[in-house]
Amino acid sequence: SLPLSLCVCIGRLRLPDCGVSEIPEAERSPSPEPVYDQAGARVNSREVRRREALEAKRLELIESLKPRAAQKCWRKLIVPIDKYPGYNFFGAIIGPRGNAQKRMERESGCKIVIRGRGAIKEGCGRHDGKPLGPEDDEPMHVLIEGPDEESVEKGQELVTQVLNPYSESAIAQKERQMRELAIINGTLKEEDLAANAANWSNAAAKGALWRAPPPPVS
């Protein structure tokens, strides 16, 4: 095993001759022409070469025993602003007080963030505190980062639904957001609480997040 190999390597390094005497004569490599330093000490003796080889092996074993950082998976989804001009994708993805974003992150196990032009207000910095990078000057997009492909695919599925404003799931999410916002602002009336979901969906489809002409004709 690697830990045992490391112990053996360190043990040999502690020996006066680094274990050269343990090597049978017939198995020893030929000695090169002697090389000496300015003090007259030989710098390429069998013991010196043995120590250098063991040191290199020790470092290699230590590196192998270090825990490896897990490789994360990710997706980049372009926000279709040109296709749906006037639609507030940022608000749809984030939701009131970040609730929509948090829900998608919770359900997928991924980190979901919006990057690119329009994702950061002028004069403000990034929410993660990092300096602006080249990706912040790209077209607006959603980055999905997760521990494995399954999680990222789930996150992509949730975000893709929001990026299609006319899908049933997007309209249903708008409905939830309208109710959440009304509750947060204290403007939800008793008749709203009693209203059926169809009315809320119709209202959501009309506008809280939507300020654009009818959908394009395919």
Side-chain angles (χ1 to χ4, degrees), residues 20-32:
V20 170
S21 58
E22 298 176 1
I23 305 173
E25 192 71 32
E27 296 179 11
R28 296 181 184 180
S29 60
S31 294

Side-chain angles (χ1 to χ4, degrees), residues 201-217:
S201 295
N202 291 336
K206 287 177 183 177
L209 299 169
W210 184 247
R211 303 180 302 278
V217 178

Side-chain angles (χ1 to χ4, degrees), residues 42-202:
R42 186 174 175 180
V43 295
N44 66 338
S45 64
R46 183 171 280 113
E47 288 79 8
V48 171
R49 289 183 284 117
R50 174 74 166 175
R51 179 174 295 279
E52 290 175 349
L54 288 171
E55 280 289 357
K57 183 67 174 177
R58 183 182 69 86
L59 293 175
E60 179 184 337
L61 290 169
I62 290 175
E63 191 66 27
S64 299
L65 288 170
K66 289 181 179 179
R68 301 294 179 185
Q71 293 293 324
K72 292 188 176 181
C73 303
W74 62 279
R75 292 283 193 287
K76 177 180 177 180
L77 304 180
I78 300 298
V79 177
I81 294 175
D82 294 339
K83 186 176 181 180
Y84 303 105
Y87 186 78
N88 184 5
F89 283 104
F90 189 92
I93 295 168
I94 300 300
R97 295 187 178 177
N99 288 342
Q101 178 189 24
K102 293 173 184 175
R103 177 184 60 80
M104 291 190 292
E105 289 184 333
R106 186 170 59 251
E107 292 182 10
S108 65
C110 296
K111 181 179 180 181
I112 298 174
V113 296
I114 305 176
R115 292 280 182 264
R117 294 188 294 273
I120 302 174
K121 292 183 179 179
E122 189 175 351
C124 299
R126 286 171 46 155
H127 294 293
D128 57 11
K130 295 181 180 179
L132 298 179
E135 68 276 11
D136 295 301
D137 195 40
E138 296 177 2
M140 185 183 288
H141 55 276
V142 181
L143 283 179
I144 306 167
E145 186 178 275
D148 50 54
E149 282 293 332
E150 184 179 356
S151 299
V152 171
E153 287 177 4
K154 177 62 176 177
Q156 179 176 349
E157 178 186 345
L158 294 171
V159 173
T160 300
Q161 292 173 358
V162 182
L163 297 183
N164 179 6
Y166 293 100
S167 68
E168 291 183 7
S169 56
I171 292 175
Q173 175 160 311
K174 287 182 236 176
E175 174 195 336
R176 286 195 300 270
Q177 291 184 10
M178 289 175 66
R179 293 179 69 93
E180 287 175 5
L181 191 59
I183 292 171
I184 290 171
N185 293 334
T187 57
L188 187 65
K189 302 175 182 178
E190 290 186 9
E191 55 265 33
D192 294 329
L193 289 170
N196 62 50
N199 291 337
W200 274 95
S201 295
N202 291 336

Side-chain angles (χ1 to χ4, degrees), residues 2-49:
L2 290 177
L4 179 58
S5 298
L6 180 60
C7 290
V8 172
C9 185
I10 293 174
R12 286 173 177 164
L13 279 168
R14 290 173 177 169
L15 297 174
D17 64 350
C18 294
V20 170
S21 58
E22 298 176 1
I23 305 173
E25 192 71 32
E27 296 179 11
R28 296 181 184 180
S29 60
S31 294
E33 287 292 325
V35 178
Y36 300 92
D37 61 17
Q38 293 180 346
R42 186 174 175 180
V43 295
N44 66 338
S45 64
R46 183 171 280 113
E47 288 79 8
V48 171
R49 289 183 284 117

